[in-house]
Amino acid sequence: MRVLVTGGAGFVGSHTVVSLIEAGHEPVVVDNFINSDRSVLGRIGKLTGNVPELHEADIRDKDAMTDIARTGFDACMHFAALKAVGESVEKPMLYYDNNVSGTISLVEALLEADVNSFVFSSSCTVYGEPETLPLDESMPIGTATNPYGWTKIMMEQVLRDVQLANPDWSVSLLRYFNPVGAHPSGLLGEDPVGTPNNLMPYVARVAAGILPKLQVFGDDYPTADGTGIRDYIHVVDLAEGHLAALARHAGDAGVHTYNLGTGQGHSVLELVRAYEEVSSRPVAYEITGRRPGDVAASWADVTMATEHLGWMTTRDLHEMCADSWNWQQKAR
Ligand code: UDP
C-alpha cells in the first residue's frame, strides 16, 4: 500500500516507516522537522535499503497537504503532533493549533483527495484518571489534566465525527501506553532536545553520566513500592501494531479503537533497576514530590488488539532498556 505518514521522521513515525518498508509498503513521509532530524531519512535508507519519498511540509498547510494527498494514497498514518505535557500548559494555543487545527486541515486534504483509510496516534491519556485497571477501550473517555491530553481527546472526537459523516471512512484510533526503547540497530531512537521529560530518556542520560541523578516523582502512591506504574511498550512492537491495524482495517469502514500496550505495568524503581542491569551502570536517584497531573498507575487491557489484530508485544522491559542504552551510547 502507498501510505502517507505524517511525522514520519519522529520517534514512533520513523520506526513505523521502517516496518512499512520491511513489509513491502510504500510510505511517503511528511514532516516539518520541528522536533525531528533530517538525518532520520538516511538512517531509514541504511536500515531498509530504501529512502522514502519526503515532503517537507506543515500539516496545517492545507493546500500543500492537498497537493501531496492528490498524488494518490491507500491510507494515511498520522503521527505529526506536539507531545510535551509541560510545554502544552505554557503554550496551549501552540498545541491546539498544531495538533487539532493540523489534524483538521490534514483530514480536509484527505477528503478532497479521496483517501479514506486513516490510522491515528492516540494515547492512553484520553482515559484520564483510571477508576479501575486494566484500562479497556469500552471505558469512557476521561478528563485531561493538561492541553496536550485535551488535544488527543479532541482529535479522537473530530475523527469519530468525520467517520460518521463519511461512512466509507476507516478510522483506527490507536491508544498508545508508554512508548520507549529504540531500534535494535542503534540507528533510530528518541533524542529529546534539552532535559528529557519522560522517564526512560532521563534514566538513559543518568546512566551515561550526562545528568547527575533522577528525580523520582513520589514514593507514596498506593503501589507495591510506592512509585508510579506505567505500561511501557517497545517502539518496534508499537510500530508493528500500526501495521497490524493497517492490514486489518484499511478499507474497512468504521471506527476501530485499540489499546497498544503490553498489558503489564512496571514501577519507576523497577525500570531503574532493569536499566542498571542492562547498562552495568548505577542510576542515582532521589525521591521528590509527586508531579502534578500524574496518575498512580496505568496499564492496558490488550484483549481487543490481540483478538482483532492478531498482534501482541514480544519485547520485555529488559529489551526496552537494552535498546535504549544501545541508542544512548551511539555517537550522533
Ligand atoms: N517519572 C519520574 N521522574 C522523571 C520522569 C518521570 O519519576 O524524571 C515518573 C512519572 O511520575 C511516571 C513515570 O515516571 O510515574 C512515567 O513518566 P513519563 O513522563 O515517562 O510518562 P507519562 O506516563 O507521565 O506520560
Side-chain angles (χ1 to χ4, degrees), residues 23 29 35 68 97 118 139 141 167 205 289:
V29 171
N35 194 25
I68 298 165
D97 186 33
F118 196 89
M139 289 177 175
I141 284 174
R205 289 189 192 183

Side-chain angles (χ1 to χ4, degrees), residues 178 197-199 214-217 228 230 232 268 291 294:
N178 286 59
N197 298 307
N198 295 115
L199 180 63
L214 170 73
Q215 281 77 45
V216 174
F217 298 143
R230 296 288 181 276
Y232 298 98
V268 174
R291 182 170 64 179
D294 271 355

Side-chain angles (χ1 to χ4, degrees), residues 43-169:
R43 289 159 182 262
I44 292 170
K46 210 168 161 184
L47 272 172
T48 62
N50 195 332
V51 179
E53 182 181 328
L54 166 71
H55 296 269
E56 186 165 349
D58 192 306
I59 53 166
R60 289 168 295 180
D61 184 344
K62 193 194 147 195
D63 292 341
M65 294 312 299
T66 305
D67 286 346
I68 298 165
R70 282 200 173 126
T71 64
F73 290 95
D74 301 295
C76 173
M77 289 188 172
H78 178 33
F79 297 94
L82 299 177
K83 61 172 185 177
V85 171
E87 184 188 48
S88 80
V89 176
E90 283 156 31
K91 301 175 182 166
M93 294 310 281
L94 184 70
Y95 274 68
Y96 289 115
D97 186 33
N98 262 280
N99 295 7
V100 182
S101 305
T103 299
I104 290 170
S105 61
L106 171 64
V107 167
E108 282 174 340
L110 297 175
L111 285 167
E112 277 186 31
D114 225 7
V115 181
N116 57 12
S117 287
F118 196 89
V119 179
F120 178 60
S121 301
S122 189
S123 164
C124 63
T125 196
V126 302
Y127 293 113
E129 178 88 44
E131 277 177 19
T132 55
L133 287 164
L135 290 159
D136 77 59
E137 294 86 345
S138 68
M139 289 177 175
I141 284 174
T143 303
T145 53
N146 56 72
Y148 160 76
W150 279 115
T151 68
K152 290 286 173 188
I153 292 172
M154 288 178 186
M155 289 185 281
E156 276 204 358
Q157 190 57 42
V158 166
L159 292 168
R160 277 189 288 268
D161 288 339
V162 167
Q163 199 286 326
L164 208 59
N166 298 274
D168 62 326
W169 263 52

Side-chain angles (χ1 to χ4, degrees), residues 9-25:
F11 178 46
V12 184
S14 61
H15 287 83
T16 306
V17 168
V18 168
S19 297
L20 283 166
I21 295 171
E22 286 173 349
H25 297 292

